[in-house]
Amino acid sequence: MTEQLKAFLKFLALNRNASPHTVRAYESDLAQFIDHAAALAGVRRADVKPAHLDRTALRSFLADLHKRRRSRATAARKLAAARTLIRYLRREDEIEGDPGAMVSTPKREIRMPAHLSESEMDALLGAASEETALGRRDRAILELFYASGLRLSELTGLDVEDVNLSARMVRVLGKGRKQRLVPFNTTTMKAIRAYLNDRERIVSDPRSSPAEAGCHKTDGRHNHRRDPLFVNYRGGRLTVRSVDRLVRKYVAASSTRAGISPHALRHSFATHLLQRGADLRSIQELLGHARLGTTQRYTHVNAVQLLDVYRKSHPRAGGVGMAGTAATAEGAGKAREAERAGEAGRAGEAGRAGEAGATRKAEP
């Protein structure tokens, strides 16, 4: 399988336009799968044949991941990598049939994306000092993160020529090397413009390294110099790790929330758009999601918002939403009082009374 795996990874890079990070992830997942198939068949890894990658090997691999307490999302990702390899081998006439189609994908857990509230975002954006050059750079980074919902790798990969300040648009190279245009607001435009003046001084500083400040890129037609948008104090492109570290630093200084990463700013961007009435299809385009199902996880709006939207939107809703909410809250309050008094039976009656009250008040 060594040669087949190399050919498959090359296929991913050249035919699927997969990024180097994606190719490395596939290589790691498939190496684990092939190792497991070799152990299951009782052969060395070098002696594994495409025929060994059958339904039994796939199911056994999933069982082993479960035994080692890997998450369902991890198991689903590794299974998807194995299925893609098997389909490639089938197309190359290395195997017959599609054993991957007969193995069900583990059901993923539904997790709410970590995000900041609007007030927390305001505090975070104000945490970066605008009195220093690096502070103005950090403010521009935070503003662009929140205004455009970029991925961390997308932000660090931006060049100066990718930003159009007059149109307030940024050109982003996303997953699968797909380009998209994302708008940003006036506040972000001002923050980037203020930072660009500092950037020119940093890059032109004799102490900065020309090799770090920019590089030549060949796209097969012409060569041009790449000038990174966000640079460090030596004029070199900021790395993913550096931006991650500075975002976490400002989160720690402005909020008591733990576990807030740069990706949480992307979640905040999508959540706040949805809460203010944006449709999922538009959010999908802004985020660069290939599937709408990926965007649907941001639909964790609370019941009050749903009732408010229903009350304002449905032609015959009338006062259903607010009346039902008030009556249900009243019933819930009575239930809590009864429960604190140790009267479990009366708590249930109070809850039912609240529901009945909601129904009566909702009637036209």
Side-chain angles (χ1 to χ4, degrees), residues 198-270:
D198 299 310
R199 182 194 175 280
E200 293 301 320
R201 289 194 293 270
I202 294 173
V203 173
S204 60
D205 193 308
R207 293 172 297 177
S208 65
S209 170
E212 287 187 346
C215 63
H216 287 85
K217 177 185 177 183
T218 303
D219 60 7
R221 293 171 295 179
H222 61 276
N223 297 336
H224 68 276
R225 184 179 178 84
R226 294 188 60 183
D227 293 317
L229 176 61
F230 294 112
V231 298
N232 55 32
Y233 69 96
R234 295 184 300 176
R237 183 184 297 274
L238 274 179
T239 64
V240 168
R241 182 173 296 181
S242 296
V243 176
D244 179 84
R245 186 166 53 246
L246 74 86
V247 169
R248 292 179 186 275
K249 178 187 72 173
Y250 287 116
V251 169
S254 64
S255 174
T256 57
R257 299 278 297 278
I260 298 299
S261 65
H263 209 66
L265 304 189
R266 177 173 164 89
H267 295 324
S268 303
F269 164 82

Side-chain angles (χ1 to χ4, degrees), residues 157-169:
L158 289 177
D159 296 328
V160 174
E161 65 180 18
D162 293 327
V163 179
N164 187 332
L165 289 179
S166 59
R168 297 201 297 273
M169 299 285 287

Side-chain angles (χ1 to χ4, degrees), residues 104-333:
S104 59
T105 303
K107 187 176 181 181
R108 299 191 183 189
E109 307 97 329
I110 299 178
R111 293 184 178 179
M112 295 300 184
H115 66 283
L116 296 173
S117 66
E118 293 186 27
S119 59
E120 288 175 323
M121 277 304 313
D122 290 339
L124 175 60
L125 295 176
S129 172
E130 297 185 84
E131 297 181 359
T132 64
L134 294 183
R136 288 187 286 270
R137 178 204 64 186
D138 296 349
R139 177 63 182 264
I141 288 174
L142 295 175
E143 289 279 2
L144 188 56
F145 257 137
Y146 182 49
S148 301
L150 302 185
R151 298 180 178 94
L152 178 56
S153 59
E154 292 171 347
L155 183 133
T156 55
L158 289 177
D159 296 328
V160 174
E161 65 180 18
D162 293 327
V163 179
N164 187 332
L165 289 179
S166 59
R168 297 201 297 273
M169 299 285 287
V170 59
R171 181 178 59 199
V172 181
L173 188 64
K175 288 187 176 181
R177 298 179 184 176
K178 295 179 181 178
Q179 285 192 359
R180 71 182 191 277
L181 292 176
V182 184
F184 53 84
N185 53 37
T186 305
T187 306
T188 304
M189 177 197 69
K190 293 178 179 178
I192 294 176
R193 180 168 288 163
Y195 156 69
L196 286 177
N197 295 328
D198 299 310
R199 182 194 175 280
E200 293 301 320
R201 289 194 293 270
I202 294 173
V203 173
S204 60
D205 193 308
R207 293 172 297 177
S208 65
S209 170
E212 287 187 346
C215 63
H216 287 85
K217 177 185 177 183
T218 303
D219 60 7
R221 293 171 295 179
H222 61 276
N223 297 336
H224 68 276
R225 184 179 178 84
R226 294 188 60 183
D227 293 317
L229 176 61
F230 294 112
V231 298
N232 55 32
Y233 69 96
R234 295 184 300 176
R237 183 184 297 274
L238 274 179
T239 64
V240 168
R241 182 173 296 181
S242 296
V243 176
D244 179 84
R245 186 166 53 246
L246 74 86
V247 169
R248 292 179 186 275
K249 178 187 72 173
Y250 287 116
V251 169
S254 64
S255 174
T256 57
R257 299 278 297 278
I260 298 299
S261 65
H263 209 66
L265 304 189
R266 177 173 164 89
H267 295 324
S268 303
F269 164 82
T271 301
H272 297 168
L273 281 178
L274 189 64
Q275 289 176 344
R276 288 179 172 265
D279 62 278
L280 278 178
R281 186 67 183 84
S282 300
I283 297 175
Q284 177 193 4
E285 288 294 324
L286 291 171
L287 293 176
H289 286 159
R291 295 180 298 275
L292 186 61
T294 308
T295 317
Q296 287 176 336
R297 60 180 171 167
Y298 295 108
T299 56
H300 54 286
V301 292
N302 58 49
V304 174
Q305 288 175 315
L306 288 177
L307 288 170
D308 189 51
V309 170
Y310 177 80
R311 181 175 58 85
K312 292 179 180 178
S313 305
H314 197 280
R316 304 189 67 179
V320 171
M322 298 310 293
T325 302
T328 303
E330 181 183 352

